Amino acid sequence: MTARPSRWRHKMAAVPEVEESLLASDRASDGKTTGWQGRHRSLFQRRGIPTRVATFMTLAVLAIGYQCEPERSHAWGQYSPYFKVHSEISSDVPPQCHVAFAQILSRHGARDPTVSKTFAYSQVIKKIKSKVRNFEGDFAFLASYSYTLGADQLTEFGKQEMLNSGRAFFSRYEDLAKNLLPFVRASGQRRVVESAQGFNEGFHRAKTAAAGTEDKEYPYNVTVISEAAGSNNTLDHGLCTAFEASDIGSIAQSTYASVFTPSITARLNANLPNANLTFPEAILIMDLCPFETVASSSSTPSPFCALFTPTEWKQYDYYQTLGKYYGYGPGNPLGPTQGVGFVNELVARLTGKPVVDHTSVNGTLDTNPNTFPLGRSLYADFGHDNDMTAVFAALGLYNSTFSLSTTHMMTVEEMHGNSAAWTVPFAARAYFEKLQCEGEEEELVRVLMNGRVLSLESCGADALGRCTLGRFVGSLSFAQAGGNWNQCFKRSG
């Protein structure tokens, strides 16, 4: 399988497993905006909108993320492209306040399926093509369809998502960012490192455009934390053996799949005679919708998407949410514990004090001011959806969410926004802000999840969703005590 060339070249720190060939530049020499944002700009201009206005409208599109067929694309679980989630509380910096500290915890951009999934998808398509003679109606496209997706790597769409994220981070925190650089870390998988690089490039482009001068500090450093077996890494789980053996998430998904997939499978089999698709295969076909979309050169929804109704996509999002909730979140006794290490790092950054942790923190890196500096105002960390889910659980961000049913679908509102699509889509952005406000003796903390301000109920949030720094840190006793890490290595029986 041929690997896609990387678009970014960056200075690297602690990256023995990342080959230089993977970091080669593939940047367009003419500086044109590419990807779906470029097509939006072209569309605006074809309609007679002036270039300057078209650019402004394009940036507005970037700020809200992917908006094609939102009734479907915003319900693809963790495979949804990034989109800005509606916030009941204004996400603007409140009057008489300024941001003194900002941390982004980001998922990598849109990617191809994993190796195991790409094999499963190719097999189900092979099965359909070998058994079905005629493809009609919405299924007619399958007559000429061939499965060509790769495995594990960022798509061009995913790379553009990360450029957009870097631009958005600079724009939101420009008062800090015009004079400071974020300290950037990435978990060691190639797509995560490349996502961090893309973010850096987007930040750099925005900074250069704002200043109108050369950015001599670019390319920026990326500190990479190894994902090798046995490595301590707060951005990638793998140490807690009892957790790694858990199948609670997959059991929850299987239970709900038996509820929502029978009618879908029956309809697919009625339109694909002799295919004899199973419930799990029906879900594989649903998966192809987001993966083909983010791999498409046009970034428009794949024909697979129209095979399912908006209601079925909500059920699909709920199915994926169950995998996160019971696999890595509060529904798994050891799920939140996998996020404890990062939470303790966040506390250290917010308070300017050394990390105190005995779980997944890498002590070699976190005691070195070059690889874990304190006293910075901007930080950016890049990892995976599962680990972000565990971090959010360790922080108690969704403590008000009741246990999720495995026999009927709960709405996003009933889950208080704790759906996979709203929390960990591709290129997800969780912002942790520390505010200094007039009339307040203590700094205030607030959290934005993909643009949505979360009310920090566990520490007595005010009307704007904020807690004082002391109350926020005080609410994190679970993480500060190490969660349930002592249960990670107990032998059963």
Side-chain angles (χ1 to χ4, degrees):
M1 189 173 298
T2 302
R4 293 189 180 92
S6 170
R7 295 176 56 183
W8 308 300
R9 181 183 298 277
H10 286 250
K11 294 182 288 186
M12 307 301 295
V15 205
E17 68 270 42
V18 180
E19 298 180 11
E20 179 62 25
S21 63
L22 303 184
L23 308 178
S25 174
D26 187 32
R27 191 177 301 118
S29 60
D30 59 5
K32 292 181 181 179
T33 302
T34 58
W36 69 282
Q37 69 183 70
R39 288 187 290 280
H40 275 289
R41 181 180 295 172
S42 298
L43 175 62
F44 296 146
Q45 291 172 337
R46 286 200 302 272
R47 293 182 177 179
I49 299 172
T51 299
R52 183 173 297 178
V53 177
T55 299
F56 174 81
M57 294 175 71
T58 300
L59 292 175
V61 169
L62 298 180
I64 60 176
Y66 192 74
Q67 295 296 322
C68 292
E69 300 184 13
E71 70 281 1
R72 288 185 168 90
S73 66
H74 294 183
W76 293 342
Q78 69 272 20
Y79 304 139
S80 298
Y82 169 81
F83 63 94
K84 185 176 181 180
V85 178
H86 171 72
S87 183
E88 297 84 359
I89 301 172
S90 173
S91 60
D92 294 340
V93 177
Q96 287 78 52
C97 295
H98 71 271
V99 178
F101 168 101
Q103 154 92 60
I104 179 176
L105 175 59
S106 172
R107 186 188 179 194
H108 57 74
R111 59 163 172 79
D112 287 324
T114 59
V115 171
S116 60
K117 282 293 187 70
T118 210
F119 177 75
Y121 300 146
S122 65
Q123 291 302 108
V124 74
I125 293 299
K126 181 179 179 180
K127 175 181 177 180
I128 291 171
K129 300 279 275 188
S130 67
K131 294 190 174 184
V132 179
R133 300 279 182 166
N134 297 305
F135 299 95
E136 300 177 349
D138 288 341
F139 296 81
F141 76 95
L142 287 169
S144 58
Y145 172 78
S146 296
Y147 183 82
T148 59
L149 297 181
D152 284 321
Q153 304 310 321
L154 291 181
T155 65
E156 290 303 312
F157 181 97
K159 294 177 181 180
Q160 188 65 58
E161 284 184 305
M162 300 316 299
L163 283 168
N164 297 347
S165 181
R167 287 180 171 129
F169 190 80
F170 178 89
S171 177
R172 181 171 182 84
Y173 304 114
E174 184 172 355
D175 286 347
L176 293 172
K178 62 187 178 184
N179 297 314
L180 302 169
L181 294 179
F183 180 78
V184 180
R185 299 188 307 174
S187 195
Q189 197 160 11
R190 171 178 167 171
R191 64 175 178 265
V192 182
V193 175
E194 289 188 343
S195 292
Q197 295 170 338
F199 173 91
N200 278 355
E201 182 168 341
F203 184 97
H204 157 71
R205 290 186 185 184
K207 183 175 183 178
T208 302
T213 58
E214 182 182 359
D215 181 4
K216 295 183 179 180
E217 295 180 280
Y218 185 78
Y220 313 139
N221 287 329
V222 177
T223 295
V224 176
I225 309 175
S226 174
E227 292 190 5
S231 297
N232 281 46
N233 183 344
T234 58
L235 300 173
D236 181 63
H237 65 90
L239 293 176
C240 180
T241 54
F243 171 77
E244 298 302 324
S246 170
D247 59 357
I248 298 173
S250 59
I251 291 173
Q253 285 188 298
S254 295
T255 301
Y256 182 64
S258 67
V259 175
F260 94 98
T261 58
S263 61
I264 293 173
T265 308
R267 187 177 72 249
L268 292 175
N269 283 326
N271 284 276
L272 298 169
N274 300 317
N276 295 321
L277 297 170
T278 64
F279 296 168
E281 288 173 331
I283 295 174
L284 292 178
I285 294 173
M286 296 187 84
D287 289 348
L288 285 171
C289 159
F291 279 118
E292 288 285 0
T293 297
V294 301
S296 165
S297 60
S298 66
S299 307
T300 54
S302 160
F304 282 102
C305 305
L307 301 181
F308 309 96
T309 68
T311 296
E312 288 168 344
W313 283 118
K314 289 180 180 179
Q315 294 171 325
Y316 175 86
D317 181 42
Y318 189 68
Y319 167 84
Q320 300 294 3
T321 298
L322 289 174
K324 301 306 174 193
Y325 182 87
Y326 286 102
Y328 302 88
N332 187 309
L334 287 173
T337 296
Q338 309 315 301
V340 159
F342 181 86
V343 172
N344 288 330
E345 290 180 326
L346 177 63
V347 169
R349 289 171 169 175
L350 285 167
T351 62
K353 298 178 181 179
V355 179
V356 178
D357 181 83
H358 63 272
T359 65
S360 59
V361 159
N362 187 312
T364 302
L365 296 179
D366 282 18
T367 55
N368 184 336
N370 294 318
T371 51
F372 195 84
L374 298 175
R376 302 283 286 263
S377 296
L378 297 174
Y379 294 91
D381 287 316
F382 298 85
H384 304 275
D385 52 340
N386 294 335
D387 305 282
M388 291 176 68
T389 300
V391 168
F392 302 154
L395 286 164
L397 297 182
Y398 296 97
N399 281 354
S400 61
T401 300
F402 295 111
S403 294
L404 302 189
S405 171
T406 59
T407 58
H408 71 274
M409 182 181 71
M410 295 171 64
T411 66
V412 174
E413 291 73 23
E414 289 173 326
M415 295 186 287
H416 300 276
N418 191 16
S419 82
W422 280 31
T423 57
V424 288
F426 285 132
R429 312 169 188 172
Y431 291 167
F432 302 88
E433 299 178 342
K434 188 164 63 174
L435 307 174
Q436 294 177 348
C437 303
E438 293 182 17
E440 296 287 346
E441 295 182 0
E442 191 175 357
E443 293 171 311
L444 298 168
V445 175
R446 73 171 180 171
V447 178
L448 288 80
M449 190 71 65
N450 300 313
R452 178 175 181 248
V453 177
L454 300 184
S455 183
L456 300 176
E457 297 174 358
S458 60
C459 54
D462 64 13
L464 298 180
R466 310 168 301 180
C467 287
T468 63
L469 175 59
R471 291 177 68 91
F472 178 74
V473 172
S475 72
L476 302 176
S477 58
F478 173 81
Q480 292 172 323
N484 295 318
W485 194 255
N486 61 336
Q487 299 177 23
C488 285
F489 311 103
K490 290 183 176 180
R491 295 183 180 179
S492 59

